[in-house]
Amino acid sequence: MRLRNLNMTRDYADDLKLFRTRQSKASIVAVLALALLLPVLLPDDFWLSVLVYAGIFAIGAIGLNLLSGYTGQVSLGHAFFMACGAYTTMMLGTRHELPLPVWLLASAVVGGLVGGIVGPFALRLRGNYLAVISLGLVFLGQHVFENWESLTGGPGGNGSTAPLSLGFLDFNALAVGGRAYTRNQSFFWLVWALVFLSLLIAKNIVRSRPGRAMQAIRDRDVAAQVIGVSLGRYKVGAFVVSSALAAMAGALFATYQQFIAPDSFNLFLSIQFVFMIIVGGIGTVFGSVIGALFAGLLPALVSKYGGSIPFIEQQPGAGGLTVFQVNQIAFGVLIILFLILEPRGLAAVWLRIKAYFRAWPFSY
C-alpha cells in the first residue's frame, strides 16, 4: 500500500498516463477552478494584464521547451516565429476581418510552415551553429518587416484589431448571465484556455512515441538513429510544432496589444523565451508556464514598486537605471544563477518538494 502512495513507476503503462494519481487529477480541477474565478476575484486591470501577457508567453515557451528541452535543438529565433503569427493575424483578422478561429489557426499554420522550412537546417547543424542560424532569422525578419510597409506599416508599426468573437462569446465585451466583464477579464479566460490546450497537446506529445524519440535525439542523436529513430522526421516535426505555438502566441500578442511594430520582435524577446524555459525548467512542460509567470511578474513588480528601489531612475533625466535596464540585468543574472545552481529550474524545486512530502517521514 505504501508503494502505491509513493507513486512509483512499476511498468511502461505508468509512464503513458496523462494523470497518474487522484491527487494530480484533483490539482488540475483546482487549477481550472482558480483560472475561472481569478478574473472575478482579481479585478485589478494591472495584474490581469500581467497574467494575460504571462499566458501568451507561456504558449510560446511551451513550444520552445518542446524544441530545446525535449529535442535538444537550440533556438534563438522564437521572436521571428512570433512575428509571423502576429502579421498573419494583421493580414487575415484586421484587414479581411476573418473570425477568431480562422486567423488563430491560420497563424499557427503559417508559423508551422515557416518552421518546417527552417527545420531541415537542424539536420546538418547542431549546438551553437544552429543557434546562430536561428539568431539570423530574428535580424532577417526585422529587416523584412520594416521594409514590407504594405503589410506591416514599416518601422512605425500598425494597428491590429482582429475580431474576437467565438460563437456568442465576444471577448472584446464579454457578457454572461447579464453580467459584463472587462476586456482584460475576457482575454484572461481566452488566453489561459489556450494555455491549457497547449499544455495538453505538449503533454500528449512528450508521453507518447514521438516524445520518447525526441528525448532520445536530445540525449544522443547518433544512438537514436542507430535504433531506428528518424532524425529528419522528429527534428523537423519539433520545429513545426514549436513554431506553430510561437506563431499562435504572436497572434494573441498582436490582438491583445492592438498595435505591433517590427521592433516588438527583437532579440531581447527571444532571450526572454530562453529565460522562461531555463528558470521554469528546461525539459518540463509545466516548467514553461512557471517560467512565463516568473518572467511576467518580475518586470511587473519592478515597474510597480520601482519608486521604492533607490538605484532606479525616479524621474526622466534624474540619473540611475531605468526599469527596462533593471529587467535586462535581472534576466541575465538569473539565467547565470539558475544554470549554475539549479539547471533544472523551478520545476525541479517543485518536484523535490512534492517528493519530500510524498515520502515523509522518510527521507528520499
Side-chain angles (χ1 to χ4, degrees):
M1 180 61 73
R2 186 64 191 167
L3 290 178
R4 288 179 182 277
N5 293 334
L6 285 174
N7 189 30
M8 297 181 68
T9 299
R10 294 180 293 276
D11 53 51
Y12 288 118
D14 287 338
D15 280 334
L16 296 178
K17 291 178 181 174
L18 191 58
F19 305 111
R20 297 179 59 178
T21 63
R22 290 180 181 175
Q23 289 84 354
S24 62
K25 293 176 185 175
S27 61
I28 292 295
V29 171
V31 170
L32 289 174
L34 178 64
L36 283 173
L37 293 175
L38 195 59
V40 181
L41 300 174
L42 183 69
D44 187 327
D45 271 347
F46 175 79
W47 291 112
L48 277 177
S49 177
V50 170
L51 291 173
V52 168
Y53 277 117
I56 291 171
F57 287 119
I59 295 172
I62 290 168
L64 185 60
N65 222 335
L66 284 175
L67 180 66
S68 299
Y70 283 95
T71 320
Q73 305 301 296
V74 182
S75 173
L76 293 174
H78 233 47
F80 170 74
F81 296 115
M82 211 170 155
C84 291
Y87 285 115
T88 303
T89 297
M90 180 179 282
M91 170 68 77
L92 300 180
T94 304
R95 295 192 179 176
H96 297 282
E97 298 184 349
L98 295 178
L100 185 153
V102 175
W103 59 255
L104 191 60
L105 283 174
S107 299
V109 169
V110 169
L113 287 174
V114 176
I117 295 170
V118 177
F121 287 101
L123 299 176
R124 301 185 64 86
L125 301 170
R126 67 177 68 179
N128 295 335
Y129 297 104
L130 183 59
V132 170
I133 291 288
S134 62
L135 180 61
L137 285 176
V138 176
F139 295 106
L140 178 64
Q142 276 199 293
H143 177 76
V144 171
F145 297 137
E146 285 178 357
N147 290 282
W148 194 355
E149 294 190 8
S150 60
L151 171 66
T152 67
N158 217 337
S160 178
T161 54
L164 276 171
S165 297
L166 185 63
F168 65 92
L169 300 173
D170 182 359
F171 291 97
N172 271 320
L174 189 63
V176 179
R179 177 171 178 175
Y181 296 94
T182 66
R183 188 171 187 270
N184 278 333
Q185 288 174 310
S186 310
F187 231 94
F188 178 93
W189 283 311
L190 172 65
V191 167
W192 281 92
L194 292 169
V195 171
F196 284 116
L197 179 63
S198 304
L199 279 171
L200 198 60
I201 292 171
K203 190 70 179 173
N204 273 293
I205 289 175
V206 300
R207 74 191 180 95
S208 57
R209 182 173 179 172
R212 292 193 293 276
M214 289 158 60
Q215 291 167 69
I217 292 170
R218 174 197 63 191
D219 294 339
R220 187 68 67 181
D221 56 354
V222 176
Q225 191 173 26
V226 168
I227 62 174
V229 174
S230 169
L231 299 187
R233 178 190 302 171
Y234 292 108
K235 281 187 175 181
V236 175
F239 259 101
V240 169
V241 176
S242 172
S243 307
L245 288 173
M248 194 166 75
L252 293 169
F253 180 75
T255 310
Y256 182 62
Q257 290 211 136
Q258 297 182 301
F259 179 86
I260 52 170
D263 63 1
S264 303
F265 307 100
N266 53 22
L267 178 60
F268 183 61
L269 181 60
S270 288
I271 299 295
Q272 281 181 295
F273 277 112
V274 174
F275 173 84
M276 289 173 209
I277 64 170
I278 289 176
V279 172
I282 194 162
T284 57
V285 174
F286 74 95
S288 312
V289 179
I290 296 174
L293 285 169
F294 192 90
L297 290 174
L298 178 64
L301 289 171
V302 173
S303 174
K304 196 168 182 67
Y305 300 107
S308 305
I309 303 174
F311 54 84
I312 291 184
E313 188 179 62
Q314 304 299 324
Q315 293 179 348
L321 298 173
T322 64
V323 171
F324 179 71
Q325 289 171 328
V326 171
N327 289 332
Q328 284 183 310
I329 294 170
F331 283 162
V333 170
L334 285 171
I335 286 176
I336 294 170
L337 289 178
F338 268 90
L339 285 176
I340 295 174
L341 302 175
E342 185 50 270
R344 296 177 59 201
L346 294 173
V349 176
W350 169 245
L351 291 174
R352 279 203 298 274
I353 293 172
K354 278 178 57 179
Y356 174 81
F357 284 104
R358 189 177 293 140
W360 191 86
F362 306 102
S363 60
Y364 65 96

